[in-house]
Amino acid sequence: MKTMLRTMKNQKNGIPKDVLAVFESIVQTYSENECDNRFMEAMGEHLAEKQRFTLWEKHGGCQGTGQNKVRKAFALEHADKPLSVRLELYVNTFIKDYTGKTQSITLNEEKNTITVIFACDECYRHTLKGKLTAPFMLYNERCAGGRMYALEKALGIKLKIHSIDIPQLGVSKESPCSYTFNIVE
């Protein structure tokens, strides 16, 4: 969460100093899961959805997975192909490793959006085991940032979080989240 705090301190994000002080106190006082939980709870309490989306766009979950070199090489290799072809190649190349997690990725060219249907087993598992206690919706926003980041790197495009649809009864393989991203290019 220290990286997220640095991102929050950027004046462009419009987070007031008194609100930043809340997050600084959390980072200084708590560690590991306790810090993550309190930080996420504070995000839900003190930040509007649009602010959280902006922050997750800049620092979404799953960014440190060691896949950046592979994603960037993929983007360079296929840069000359239309987005629809790149997306199909992406699904065939990367998504096979996530069998059971990602149900689909769809390009809606008319609306200039990409929709990802995804059930994040990791967030769900940690929430069930009590490691993550902030509202589940906040962890799914973080996952949206991670999905967005992976797509941007591998497809060589710029995205913005448009919407997140989280099932009311909880996320599972049978009931995944739906993340829609605007293509900014």
Side-chain angles (χ1 to χ4, degrees), residues 115-140:
T115 299
V116 177
I117 306 298
F118 187 78
C120 183
D121 294 336
E122 193 67 20
C123 285
Y124 190 63
R125 187 170 38 254
H126 285 317
T127 303
L128 288 177
K129 291 180 180 178
K131 290 181 183 177
L132 307 177
T133 58
F136 193 61
M137 167 200 70
L138 298 171
Y139 293 101
N140 288 103

Side-chain angles (χ1 to χ4, degrees), residues 5 9 15-28:
L5 180 58
K9 287 181 178 180
I15 299 173
K17 289 184 181 188
D18 61 324
V19 174
L20 281 174
V22 170
F23 292 98
E24 288 171 337
S25 175
I26 291 168
V27 169
Q28 292 170 358

Side-chain angles (χ1 to χ4, degrees), residues 49-50 53-54 57 83 87 105-116 144-145 147-149 151-152 155-164 178-185:
E49 180 182 73
K50 185 176 179 179
F53 282 6
T54 299
E57 288 166 356
L83 180 56
L87 188 59
I105 299 178
T106 306
L107 173 64
N108 184 340
E109 293 185 65
E110 296 81 39
K111 293 184 178 180
N112 208 30
T113 62
I114 294 176
T115 299
V116 177
R147 304 293 66 78
M148 185 194 85
Y149 179 82
L151 287 168
E152 285 182 329
L155 300 176
I157 60 175
K158 181 74 176 136
L159 300 170
K160 288 261 189 218
I161 300 171
H162 175 73
S163 65
I164 300 173
S178 176
Y179 305 119
T180 301
F181 305 103
N182 291 326
I183 301 170
V184 178
E185 292 191 276

Side-chain angles (χ1 to χ4, degrees), residues 10 16 21 39 46-47 51 62 66-67 91 112 115 144 149 169 171 175:
N10 185 328
F39 200 96
H46 296 285
L47 303 177
Q51 286 177 305
C62 307
Q67 293 292 315
V91 168
N112 208 30
T115 299
Y149 179 82
L169 300 176
V171 177
S175 185

Side-chain angles (χ1 to χ4, degrees), residues 78-95:
H78 302 293
D80 61 332
K81 296 178 175 87
L83 180 56
S84 59
V85 173
R86 284 182 281 159
L87 188 59
E88 184 178 339
L89 290 167
Y90 173 83
V91 168
N92 293 332
T93 303
F94 290 96
I95 303 306

